Amino acid sequence: SGGSLLLSTSETIANKWREMHNEVLARVTVQTDIIASNLTAAIAFDDAKSAIETLAALDMDANVQAAFVCTPDHTRFASYPESMRLDKGFDCRQPVGQAFTSERLEIVRPIVLNREAIGTVAVRYGLDAFRAALAWDVVVSVLILGGTLLAAVLVSAPVRSALLRPVTELARASNAIAQTGNYETRVSKHANDELGALADAFNFLAS
């Protein structure tokens, strides 16, 4: 039925989002831990130049926006790129952990020497590629859903108005994002049902 198809599509998109979310978190965590391991000597010998050179390895990942090395007294020791040295958007008092926003992941990991934390390294990772890949999955899912429901409503006139309008709106919005990359596009939520949940998910991804 149409309701089952909508529910299945929504679950598929949600599962894809969780899968990609966990994949990005795992990859950036490993990447940050490697950098932290390579920073121990620089921190131990108070060698800021060496720390900056270590952070320069992050050039290999275009999604890395910035990185910061902090000492235990919450002083910024090194920054990447060096132009971020005076950036006030990061506080060295930020605890070890991770935080997601709609635009980026910021992860803080300890720098450990002889089982003692001698500092922290924070990596700011942009999520544009993540959002683009997920948006494409949403576009494909919505187009498939739209085509299937369109075929259904053609033989089921009573539900045409209830289903066709929100699905068409989702399809147009998805196509607009795919063609223009404009994430300001929004769709209206017409009801608290599966289509409403799909509209909420779309608007969240486009935020």
Side-chain angles (χ1 to χ4, degrees):
S1 67
S4 298
L5 183 59
L6 286 171
L7 182 59
S8 176
T9 301
S10 298
E11 289 178 349
T12 298
I13 292 173
N15 288 336
K16 186 66 175 179
W17 182 88
R18 284 190 290 268
E19 177 184 324
M20 296 179 70
H21 176 283
N22 292 336
E23 179 184 337
V24 169
L25 178 58
R27 184 170 67 248
V28 179
T29 298
V30 170
Q31 186 178 34
T32 307
D33 282 342
I34 292 173
I35 292 294
S37 177
N38 292 336
L39 283 166
T40 54
I43 293 288
F45 292 101
D46 196 27
D47 188 350
K49 180 179 179 181
S50 178
I52 292 172
E53 291 174 351
T54 298
L55 292 178
L58 294 168
D59 272 332
M60 297 176 63
D61 190 335
N63 295 304
V64 174
Q65 298 176 340
F68 308 95
V69 179
C70 301
T71 59
D73 63 355
H74 310 304
T75 299
R76 191 176 298 181
F77 185 72
S79 302
Y80 164 86
E82 289 191 67
S83 59
M84 299 296 290
R85 180 169 52 88
L86 301 178
D87 177 70
K88 297 181 180 180
F90 177 77
D91 189 341
C92 276
R93 291 172 295 181
Q94 188 168 318
V96 171
Q98 62 274 331
F100 271 97
T101 69
S102 61
E103 297 179 351
R104 70 192 186 202
L105 162 65
E106 196 157 272
I107 184 166
V108 180
R109 301 294 293 169
I111 301 171
V112 179
L113 179 62
N114 297 328
R115 299 184 180 181
E116 179 183 351
I118 60 172
T120 57
V121 57
V123 171
R124 187 178 292 169
Y125 193 87
L127 297 177
D128 286 349
F130 167 80
R131 284 156 53 94
L134 192 56
W136 179 248
D137 283 342
V138 171
V139 169
V140 172
S141 297
V142 168
L143 290 177
I144 293 174
L145 175 64
T148 303
L149 290 178
L150 179 59
V153 298
L154 289 176
V155 295
S156 181
V159 298
R160 181 191 303 268
S161 177
L163 293 178
L164 188 56
R165 180 183 174 189
V167 169
T168 301
E169 186 176 350
L170 279 166
R172 288 175 177 171
S174 300
N175 188 52
I177 289 178
Q179 291 185 351
T180 68
N182 179 15
Y183 286 94
E184 298 298 320
T185 304
R186 297 291 184 274
V187 295
S188 300
K189 181 178 180 179
H190 298 283
N192 292 317
D193 54 11
E194 290 88 348
L195 277 173
L198 192 58
D200 285 339
F202 179 95
N203 288 333
F204 171 79
L205 291 172
S207 64

